[in-house]
Amino acid sequence: MGTRPKLYYSLYGALIILLLIGSLTSEFVANSLLSLLTVFPVFIFAKLLINECEMNEGFKNEALLFIKAVGIFSFLFVLAQVIFGLNFTFYPNLNPNTSGPDGFRYPSFFHDPQKYAQYIAMLSFLYLPFDPKQVSLKHVFPFIASIYALLLTGGRSALLGLGGGLLILFLLLNARIKIIILALFIAGCIPLFFFSDVFITFNRAGEFESDYVFRSTIWKEAFQIFTENPLLGIGTGNYQKYVQYYSLDQYFIYDNEVQFFDQPENGYLKILVEFGIFGFVIFLLFFILPISNAINSFLKGNKNLTSFFFIASIISCLIAFNSVYSLSDRRIMIILVSLVSFLIASESQPVK
């Protein structure tokens, strides 16, 4: 076993110990311990996936094919919602933000359009051609469809994430691939000049200031909670319980019922508040280390460009994570953990 895998095991062990101590010292011990149990399957899945990718080089491609197929199914689901309405869904009630004065926000087979926007922003990069010599319609159509599906969600942070991921690719890849990606992006955006009113993302531009005022209030309260519990946090999974007693203004009314926020409209703040500063740093390292190691491997001579598309997907998710805690949705968790696992598995493979 190499040094790097041992480092990840050490980080995992340290995180579990910190979360366990934080749960036992929290005000809601039972709730936090139950939430802690949900952390173990994530790392078990990552470990099994890394092992399989190391032993079978073709498994990663098989997994990617399945991930992309589910993404295409989500496009068809959105199309059905546009035609038949938001009643076409798996859920008895969708998130209230799916409808508003500016129109409908389509969540596909998700409950929340924000989370679907983050999901599709990650997947969009996986449809791009990893090999610039093999560009075909199977790359063009899904990538353009992902842009349109994202715009139908009204997810502005996810759109910024898409832009951030594209910027990463432009900074790291060669000129030929840059031209291909730019051409695909322009081809997808041309119709937007003629049908911009159809996409709610553009219609929500005027709401930015009011949304920021609303969210900044919640962010300040969440950060205040962190300053009162800086080292170990309030215990994993305890945010909703905590605000129910100590931040009574963090609620909304849905179907005549008062529901308290389970996250402060910011994924990083939720992790910071529940995990504490040490757990938060370890959480970030699980993304920073694989990305930096992949870039370092490229600089040392590994010319496999696939990793950069994974990095772009991860970066897009991390940018969108700033507006919503999405890891509670297992579909997003699986995609994100898979991409990180692919990067970690590539570290143990020989330089080509």
Side-chain angles (χ1 to χ4, degrees):
M1 183 183 298
T3 303
R4 288 176 181 172
K6 286 183 178 179
L7 175 59
Y8 293 118
Y9 289 137
S10 299
L11 290 174
Y12 166 65
L15 180 62
I16 293 299
I17 291 172
L18 287 170
L19 295 184
L20 179 59
I21 297 173
S23 297
L24 293 175
T25 56
S26 70
E27 295 188 44
F28 313 100
V29 177
N31 183 75
S32 191
L33 289 175
L34 286 174
S35 180
L36 179 58
L37 293 177
T38 64
V39 176
F40 292 98
V42 176
F43 288 94
I44 293 172
F45 170 73
K47 177 64 169 64
L48 294 175
L49 183 58
I50 291 170
N51 289 347
E52 188 64 31
C53 289
E54 289 176 341
M55 293 184 295
N56 180 2
E57 293 185 5
F59 182 79
K60 178 178 68 178
N61 293 330
E62 296 175 7
L64 283 173
L65 184 63
F66 178 78
I67 290 172
K68 290 188 285 187
V70 175
I72 291 175
F73 172 72
S74 79
F75 301 153
L76 298 176
F77 206 100
V78 168
L79 181 60
Q81 286 182 329
V82 171
I83 296 172
F84 301 109
L86 291 176
N87 290 328
F88 189 86
T89 178
F90 293 142
Y91 298 92
N93 293 297
L94 293 173
N95 194 304
N97 65 358
T98 52
S99 60
D102 295 317
F104 296 119
R105 300 176 62 182
Y106 296 94
S108 186
F109 53 67
F110 281 69
H111 175 259
D112 184 352
Q114 278 186 289
K115 293 181 178 178
Y116 177 59
Q118 192 174 122
Y119 171 85
I120 209 60
M122 282 194 294
L123 257 64
S124 63
F125 297 98
L126 305 182
Y127 293 117
L128 291 171
F130 298 164
D131 185 347
K133 299 178 181 179
Q134 298 180 352
V135 182
S136 64
L137 294 179
K138 71 178 182 179
H139 301 113
V140 176
F141 287 154
F143 179 71
I144 294 177
S146 65
I147 295 176
Y148 288 171
L150 196 159
L151 293 175
L152 287 170
T153 67
R156 294 169 301 198
S157 294
L159 188 61
L160 289 175
L162 177 67
L166 288 173
L167 179 61
I168 292 294
L169 292 180
F170 270 81
L171 291 176
L172 298 177
L173 296 179
N174 60 46
R176 179 181 176 86
I177 302 181
K178 291 178 183 178
I179 293 173
I180 293 173
I181 294 175
L182 183 61
L184 290 177
F185 186 73
I186 293 175
C189 291
I190 287 176
L192 299 180
F193 291 103
F194 303 98
F195 303 103
S196 60
D197 293 340
V198 176
F199 300 99
I200 190 172
T201 303
F202 301 117
N203 299 332
R204 295 184 67 231
E207 300 177 9
F208 180 80
E209 184 176 352
S210 60
D211 286 350
Y212 175 76
V213 171
F214 167 71
R215 290 184 174 181
S216 64
T217 303
I218 300 174
W219 294 343
K220 291 175 182 178
E221 291 184 5
F223 190 76
Q224 180 62 35
I225 297 173
F226 161 70
T227 59
E228 296 169 359
N229 307 269
L231 299 181
L232 297 173
I234 62 174
T236 179
N238 278 345
Y239 189 85
Q240 188 175 50
K241 284 278 189 180
Y242 195 92
V243 299
Q244 188 173 348
Y245 287 90
Y246 299 106
S247 295
L248 297 179
D249 58 334
Q250 292 196 34
Y251 72 92
F252 62 95
I253 298 176
Y254 184 58
D255 281 347
N256 295 320
E257 292 185 7
V258 175
Q259 298 185 19
F260 288 91
F261 292 175
D262 59 355
Q263 54 99 13
E265 298 290 334
N266 186 302
Y268 297 106
L269 273 177
K270 178 178 170 68
I271 297 294
L272 186 64
V273 169
E274 292 188 351
F275 288 15
I277 187 63
F278 298 118
F280 178 74
V281 170
I282 293 176
F283 170 80
L284 292 181
L285 286 175
F286 278 116
F287 301 103
I288 295 173
L289 290 177
I291 290 174
S292 60
N293 289 335
I295 295 175
N296 185 54
S297 176
F298 176 79
L299 296 176
K300 289 183 177 180
N302 188 344
K303 300 306 180 182
N304 183 6
L305 302 179
T306 305
S307 294
F308 290 127
F309 292 89
F310 298 154
I311 291 173
S313 292
I314 294 170
I315 292 297
S316 73
C317 182
L318 294 179
I319 292 175
F321 198 62
N322 187 62
S323 68
V324 60
Y325 177 79
S326 55
L327 298 184
S328 56
D329 193 301
R330 293 304 176 190
R331 290 161 291 196
I332 293 178
M333 175 73 81
I334 288 173
I335 301 300
L336 183 60
V337 172
S338 296
L339 295 171
V340 174
S341 298
F342 294 153
L343 287 181
I344 294 175
S346 66
E347 295 176 22
S348 61
Q349 295 173 348
V351 174
K352 298 181 182 180

